[in-house]
Amino acid sequence: LTQSSFLLSALLLELHNQLYLNRKVLQNEQSAEGFSRHNIELCEKIKTYVHWNRDHGIKVQEIASYLQYSPRHLSGIFSKIMGMHLKTYINIQQMEAAKELLSGSPLSITEIAYQLGFSDNHNFSRTFKRITGQTPGFSPPAPATGKAPPSGC
C-alpha cells in the first residue's frame, strides 16, 4: 500500500470508531456478558481495522502495533469477546476480499493470493476452501433462464 492509502485507511478507521463509540450499546461500563466497555471498543477497532485492510497481507502483529497492544493480549481479548481467534477472523475477512477480487478483477488466483499476503497459491487455496467450502477457481453455474439453447448447438 502507498503511504496515502494507509493514511486514508487510518483516517477512515478513526472516523468509524468515533462514530461507533457514540452508540448506546457502549454507554454502559459493562455489557450483559460482563465484558468491559474498553474491551468491547477495542474489538470494534480491531474489526474495523481488519475490514479496511483485509485486501493485503494483514497480520496480528500489524494490528497490535497500530493499536499499541501486544499481539497476545489483543488476541486474547478478541477471542474472549468474539468467540473466535483473531487470526481466524482475519482469514474470514481476507476470503471475503478474495471472493470480491475473484469475481471482479482480472488478477489470477496466484496474484490474489500474494496480494492477500499468502506465501503461495496452495496455502491460499487451502484456506479459501476451509473458509468458504469451495475452491478459488469454482464458479457457480449460471442461473437457468428457461430458454431452450439455440438450435444447431
Side-chain angles (χ1 to χ4, degrees):
L1 284 178
T2 63
Q3 184 177 4
S4 61
S5 295
F6 180 78
L7 292 174
L8 180 58
S9 292
L11 179 63
L12 289 171
L13 174 65
E14 185 60 32
L15 178 61
H16 176 271
N17 287 332
Q18 292 298 323
L19 291 172
Y20 180 82
L21 296 179
N22 289 327
R23 291 179 59 178
K24 287 184 179 181
V25 171
L26 298 177
Q27 295 302 318
N28 299 330
E29 283 302 311
Q30 298 232 331
S31 70
E33 295 84 17
F35 300 123
S36 73
R37 174 180 163 199
H38 173 76
N39 286 347
I40 294 171
E41 291 171 0
L42 184 59
C43 280
E44 289 305 317
K45 286 180 181 181
I46 293 168
K47 287 168 42 180
T48 302
Y49 187 90
V50 170
H51 177 77
W52 287 107
N53 294 283
R54 68 186 186 167
D55 60 351
H56 73 278
I58 188 171
K59 305 287 183 213
V60 173
Q61 176 62 46
E62 176 186 337
I63 301 167
S65 179
Y66 177 77
L67 295 173
Q68 299 178 340
Y69 285 89
S70 76
R72 186 177 181 146
H73 181 71
L74 209 60
S75 295
I77 290 171
F78 190 87
S79 181
K80 284 179 187 170
I81 292 177
M82 299 305 298
M84 74 172 69
H85 295 287
L86 179 52
K87 181 62 180 159
T88 302
Y89 181 77
I90 292 169
N91 281 338
I92 290 169
Q93 292 302 309
Q94 284 180 314
M95 294 309 105
E96 289 300 315
K99 285 194 265 184
E100 292 171 12
L101 290 169
L102 287 165
S103 67
S105 160
L107 297 175
S108 70
I109 292 172
T110 302
E111 291 169 321
I112 291 170
Y114 286 122
Q115 179 177 329
L116 294 174
F118 287 86
S119 57
D120 59 60
N121 191 18
H122 176 71
N123 190 21
F124 168 74
S125 295
R126 190 175 64 239
T127 303
F128 191 92
K129 174 130 177 132
R130 183 172 41 84
I131 301 285
T132 68
Q134 300 173 339
T135 61
F138 174 80
S139 60
T145 60
K147 296 180 182 178
S151 59
C153 289

